[in-house]
Amino acid sequence: MAVDRMPRVHRLDAVLANQIAAGEVVERPASILKELLENSLDAGATRITIHLEGGGMDLLSVEDDGVGILPEDLALALERHATSKVATWEDLQAIQTMGFRGEALPAIASVSRLELLSRARSQNQAARLQVTGGMAAAPEPAARAPGTTVRVADLFFNVPARRKFLRSPAAELSRNQKVLRQIALANFPVAFQLTQNGRSLVQFPAAMDAESRAARVATILGEGFLANALYIEQEDRGLSLSGWLGLPTYNRARGDEQYFFVNGRPVRDPVINHALRAAYNDVLFQDRHPLFVLYLTLPPERVDVNVHPAKAEVRFRDSREIHDFLFHTLRRVIAEQDGERLHVTIPVQPLSRPSASAQSPASPTYPTQRPLSAVRDGAGAYWERLVATATSPVPTAEVRVAGSEELAPDYPLGQAVAQIHARFILAQNSEGMILVDQHAAHERILYEKMKIASQQNDKQAFIIPEYVHLTAAQMTRFDERQAELQAVGLEISVAGPGTLAIHAAPKAVAAATYGQIVADILAEEPAWAEGDGDAVLADMACRAAIKTSRRLDLEEMNSLLRQLEATPRFGQCNHGRPTVVHFSLADLDRLFLRGR
């Protein structure tokens, strides 16, 4: 009879232990690049050069001009949990460096052919240490200027199963570039250069002032981002938030152009993600993503970065305070920027005649709208002035309304002069011409009214209920969505087969309108998620708003403009589309080549 033998506990071989650790730290060349760049930054580097071959799979080299490593410390730097960045428990509670675990270099060395070449600034000579699959040779003298070079060749040469999971050189190069962009956005004073197979691909000069920092941001996210972003700075109770916040109208189908840094560290955190998404909730369509480059700074003891080996996650000591600070700050900035949205401009140019060789007449193309980015004297002050002007109009320039010789008040959104294709309102103020999307504008107005009414439980009770006749499919949807409709202030009951009775609704639109709103909502599968009251209100506002084909007279158009001026976040509709576009007189002059 065989007797089961209990395996004995034993200590792992150092190389094997490092290879296990490499599974968490070394996923691909990009993860190696991140670790090496963080080491260079911790060493005080001001210039970092990256060389790649085969997307970093064949060779990944990082050179810096940092403080360097003493010759006697080279071998120790490749031992697991050897570090110069923390020494006590107190250090771990207030980490101020990018790296601190002492795991990256030994883990990388265990799955590659690594060369560590360094010269400390206090030394006259450099030293070189070569490691193959975790087995180190003896250090030897070498020549180098002060600083450190780490060369990682033949990644996963001794773990072929891991190498099979890597992508093509082009795909790995793309991941490396993404890491570099993140690091470059967090370290403006440092110059970076990236070469691939001997060809220079990326150069970021050191950015020491506001103009050069903005230039680096524009290089990474594009000129369009800067033209559609607001620069913000906000401090409160030891928390500081700064950076560039993209306007809701400048959005993407994917969230890959979002950069958030905590104490200079790029992080992923559900608390941050929720606060950002909630801040854009009323002005961005559900499947669109805003663009931003934001920096949160707080005392190091208020955030724990020792959560994951890759250091991409953090844990806040008071996550609720962080969430509320981010949400309220960004929410306020997005709302206040409406004053500046009056100055949304479209760069214009005369339309050229199609060439004779064209087979068919070419349709004129118009440049994409480009909101100005600077808030002239603070968005808050501008909004207060805007509302004051809207409620107590004071003429500041000659603005004549079509068909009248009398001067009209120069409202911020101007005086209506015409309607274009029963879709747009054409207005003028002292600064130029304004186009307003009547449906989008009315949608925003109604949404804000419905939201206030819903929050304050301000309902209008109908003496005679509004009856709605529905199909069987619509009745089924009502059963599924009744709780959401009731939560936003709609009191509805079943009056009979295929019939609903609406007894009360928020004070925003006429009672008869709600019957059609409910029918329209239940005519198709709602886009809003269960329990999302704001999305329900946005859907209701969209369906109740003036339709594109509705013709308006001047009085109706001006009434809509005055309501829009007094509405928060009026620069865009609930789906994130712009409501107002402004052409300055200079734009119009350029369009007609005046002054040339």
Side-chain angles (χ1 to χ4, degrees), residues 35-74:
E35 297 290 345
L36 298 184
L37 287 176
E38 289 179 350
N39 284 344
S40 294
L41 294 169
D42 287 340
T46 61
R47 186 178 65 257
I48 300 176
T49 303
I50 305 157
H51 300 287
L52 301 177
E53 292 181 9
M57 295 182 290
D58 299 330
L59 175 67
L60 189 157
S61 171
V62 175
E63 303 176 8
D64 67 50
D65 61 349
V67 296
I69 305 173
L70 293 170
E72 55 268 29
D73 288 345
L74 277 185

Side-chain angles (χ1 to χ4, degrees), residues 300-510:
E301 62 271 13
R302 296 178 66 176
V303 56
D304 183 7
V305 301
N306 186 25
V307 177
H308 188 273
K311 305 185 293 294
E313 301 174 12
V314 296
R315 184 177 294 116
F316 296 106
R317 309 295 184 191
D318 188 344
S319 58
R320 170 53 60 183
E321 182 181 10
I322 300 298
H323 179 279
D324 291 348
F325 171 69
L326 293 175
F327 170 73
H328 292 298
T329 298
L330 298 178
R331 182 83 160 186
R332 182 171 61 252
V333 170
I334 292 171
E336 291 175 345
Q337 59 87 28
D338 284 324
E340 191 62 24
R341 286 286 290 148
L342 291 179
H343 297 271
V344 170
T345 66
I346 293 181
V348 293
Q349 58 187 12
L351 301 180
S352 58
R353 183 186 301 275
S355 63
S357 61
Q359 295 182 4
S360 60
S363 299
T365 57
Y366 296 88
T368 304
Q369 68 156 22
R370 187 165 60 86
L372 300 182
S373 61
V375 180
R376 293 182 298 182
D377 56 351
Y382 190 87
W383 172 253
E384 292 174 1
R385 186 167 69 251
L386 183 154
V387 174
T389 305
T391 54
S392 302
V394 179
T396 60
E398 287 193 5
V399 178
R400 297 185 183 275
V401 180
S404 173
E405 292 301 319
E406 297 181 1
L407 291 179
D410 186 22
Y411 291 102
L413 284 179
Q415 292 283 354
V417 296
Q419 187 185 29
I420 302 175
H421 291 291
R423 180 180 302 179
F424 303 106
I425 297 173
L426 175 64
Q428 65 167 332
N429 62 8
S430 61
E431 297 180 0
M433 181 180 77
I434 295 170
L435 281 176
V436 177
D437 183 323
Q438 65 188 40
H439 172 76
H442 196 215
E443 180 182 321
R444 168 55 64 181
I445 293 169
L446 291 182
Y447 172 71
E448 294 296 338
K449 287 182 177 180
M450 288 180 175
K451 189 171 184 179
I452 292 174
S454 177
Q455 292 172 344
Q456 298 178 352
N457 197 27
D458 188 10
K459 301 178 183 179
Q460 50 181 325
F462 306 151
I463 298 177
I464 301 177
E466 285 295 318
Y467 292 99
V468 188
H469 301 287
L470 305 177
T471 65
Q474 288 174 309
M475 289 297 292
T476 299
R477 293 192 185 97
F478 171 71
D479 292 337
E480 296 171 347
R481 299 294 186 172
Q482 183 176 4
E484 283 83 0
L485 295 174
Q486 183 176 349
V488 298
L490 285 171
E491 294 184 7
I492 307 175
S493 66
V494 178
T499 304
L500 298 180
I502 305 175
H503 304 279
K507 290 181 178 179
V509 298

